[in-house]
Amino acid sequence: MKRITYLFTALVGLALAGCSKTNDKQEMISTISKEVFGELPDGQTADLYTLTNKNGMTVNITNYGGIITKLTAADKKGEWADVVLGFDSLAPYLGEHPFFGALVGRFGNRIANGKFTLNGTEYKLAINNGPNSLHGGIKGFDKVLWKATEVKEDSTVGLKLEYTSKDMEEGYPGNLNVTVVYTLTNDNSLSIDYTATTDKETVVNLTNHSYFNLTGLKRDILGHEVTILSDSIVPVNKELIPTGKLRAVEGTPFDFRKATVVGAGIDKTDDEQIKNGGGYDHCWVINRTDKALIPFATVKDPESGRFMEVFTTEPAVQFYTGNFLDGGLKGKGATFGKRFGLCLETEHYPDAPNQPQFPSTSLKPGDTYRTTTVYKFSAK
């Protein structure tokens, strides 16, 4: 009789334990936490925020430069791994690096000769890329400390970042008030919402410069399969400044309208544009009829099955394949060699302030700059 009682008690215990585990799983919620990331040279403290959804996906963001330092995605076996290039501590971000994970502004991409004319006034910008200005200048938005506010909703967690760029900072006119909100949802999407206002007409082109590697930082991205729903690119000269015309992708190594392995055409240097970019480092014009949030690109790592879909309200995207990475930087146990990561930087066209035939990047007082980009992760 005692044996039966013990057996019954054990079975009840196992059943209760199973219920507890089930309830624990059901009760998983999205969370956000904060810790000190490090100290800046001026004595200010940079913080690191960890966003976690109910599935276990995590995104780490620091208020220094609005940098995404870590983003995990599950493979086809359900195993999570970090899929963005970056570092585990603040110090390497304070040194030279190619904008890993950073918010870019005031103007993403290049402005020729570091100058433009607006309303009859010529503005000279900080030069930091040969004779040109790149990604906002010497101290762009990627190198400032943003005001951070945690955002918690019923099914999402987010981080709101705010920064005021003073009139003539890096040469740009107007006091520009910028807000960027990162939101992690339970469908494994990271949404980035950008807004900005100004007290004087200026130019704005904001983006995020994350380098993705869906292998989980195990090898380069040449085997990734990419689609970009675009019929044309913005061709560039040897300094990567737009020529002012568009070029059809059909019949060229730039045709990604169907899933194409990155390595298939990246070294076809008989193509002048491949030669100029050292591979892919070009702006694709997104096929769209309005300013709605639409899907325009996918990336898949066939071995792991990790799959990324990208949506945006922007008119174009800079597809960059890490051609200038040379193995000199290391992080998270990986060496960032040539073509170890790829970027899909949603944006307006490069050098738009100097090319009136391109969509305008002008922002006037009373108007609000608004754009949204979403990166959604799954496994195939």
Side-chain angles (χ1 to χ4, degrees), residues 185-207:
T185 66
N186 286 328
D187 68 349
N188 295 338
S189 294
L190 179 66
S191 175
I192 311 176
D193 295 285
Y194 307 83
T195 60
T197 58
T198 184
D199 62 0
K200 183 179 181 180
E201 187 168 0
T202 189
V203 295
V204 187
N205 189 25
L206 307 179
T207 192

Side-chain angles (χ1 to χ4, degrees), residues 212-214 220-230 253-266 280 282 284 296-302 306-310 317-321 341-345:
F212 297 98
N213 184 320
L214 301 188
D220 63 39
I221 50 81
L222 292 176
H224 283 34
E225 297 173 355
V226 171
T227 63
I228 304 175
L229 301 183
S230 169
F254 294 84
D255 193 348
F256 284 86
R257 290 174 295 179
K258 295 182 179 179
T260 302
V261 175
V262 172
I266 199 169
Y280 298 117
H282 295 76
W284 269 252
F296 73 90
T298 65
V299 182
K300 180 183 178 182
D301 172 40
R306 291 190 183 92
F307 186 72
M308 181 174 76
E309 301 167 84
V310 194
V317 59
Q318 186 81 5
F319 177 43
Y320 172 55
T321 47
L342 62 82
C343 304
L344 289 164
E345 306 159 55

Side-chain angles (χ1 to χ4, degrees), residues 6-298:
Y6 291 151
L7 181 59
F8 176 77
T9 302
L11 290 171
V12 169
L14 287 171
L16 289 173
C19 289
S20 176
K21 289 180 179 180
T22 300
N23 289 337
D24 286 346
K25 187 173 182 180
Q26 291 175 341
E27 292 173 359
M28 285 186 66
I29 58 174
S30 299
T31 61
I32 181 171
S33 61
K34 171 186 171 182
E35 62 186 291
V36 173
F37 196 40
E39 187 175 295
L40 302 179
D42 63 3
Q44 294 187 87
T45 298
D47 295 317
L48 185 69
Y49 295 82
T50 301
L51 284 59
T52 306
N53 71 8
K54 71 174 185 178
N55 307 315
M57 178 179 174
T58 61
V59 180
N60 287 4
I61 305 165
T62 174
N63 61 332
Y64 174 73
I67 295 170
I68 297 173
T69 66
K70 180 180 180 181
L71 186 155
T72 64
D75 66 8
K76 57 190 175 184
K77 297 179 181 178
E79 297 178 359
W80 297 90
D82 192 358
V83 296
V84 293
L85 276 59
F87 309 109
D88 291 319
S89 62
L90 177 64
Y93 288 111
L94 300 179
E96 291 294 324
H97 69 93
F99 302 92
F100 286 148
L103 289 179
V104 170
R106 288 188 189 193
F107 200 95
N109 221 311
R110 293 171 176 84
I111 294 181
N113 300 311
K115 61 183 179 180
F116 65 92
T117 299
L118 189 63
N119 295 327
T121 300
E122 182 180 84
Y123 294 95
K124 295 182 179 180
L125 309 175
I127 302 297
N128 64 331
N129 183 246
N132 308 310
S133 183
L134 173 67
H135 293 333
I138 296 169
K139 188 178 180 181
F141 290 177
D142 59 296
K143 296 181 181 69
V144 301
L145 196 65
W146 294 67
K147 176 187 174 183
T149 305
E150 297 179 12
V151 181
K152 299 178 182 179
E153 302 291 345
D154 291 339
S155 59
T156 65
V157 288
L159 184 68
K160 181 169 75 171
L161 298 174
E162 297 170 282
Y163 177 68
T164 297
S165 176
K166 299 296 184 181
D167 182 34
M168 300 310 296
E169 183 174 285
E170 298 298 291
Y172 290 91
N175 293 297
L176 188 75
N177 296 309
V178 184
T179 300
V180 179
V181 180
Y182 289 103
T183 304
L184 178 62
T185 66
N186 286 328
D187 68 349
N188 295 338
S189 294
L190 179 66
S191 175
I192 311 176
D193 295 285
Y194 307 83
T195 60
T197 58
T198 184
D199 62 0
K200 183 179 181 180
E201 187 168 0
T202 189
V203 295
V204 187
N205 189 25
L206 307 179
T207 192
N208 178 272
H209 208 297
S210 287
Y211 289 68
F212 297 98
N213 184 320
L214 301 188
T215 70
L217 310 186
K218 292 180 179 179
R219 56 190 169 277
D220 63 39
I221 50 81
L222 292 176
H224 283 34
E225 297 173 355
V226 171
T227 63
I228 304 175
L229 301 183
S230 169
D231 295 329
S232 59
I233 64 165
V234 180
V236 294
N237 61 24
K238 293 180 180 180
E239 292 179 352
L240 300 180
I241 297 297
T243 62
K245 299 179 180 180
L246 300 184
R247 173 187 172 182
V249 300
E250 187 170 358
T252 77
F254 294 84
D255 193 348
F256 284 86
R257 290 174 295 179
K258 295 182 179 179
T260 302
V261 175
V262 172
I266 199 169
D267 288 319
K268 291 186 176 180
T269 52
D270 56 335
D271 185 291
E272 183 184 36
Q273 287 302 305
I274 289 288
K275 189 174 182 179
N276 287 350
Y280 298 117
D281 191 4
H282 295 76
C283 182
W284 269 252
V285 178
I286 296 170
N287 295 345
R288 60 164 59 252
T289 57
D290 54 33
K291 296 182 179 180
L293 182 69
I294 61 169
F296 73 90
T298 65

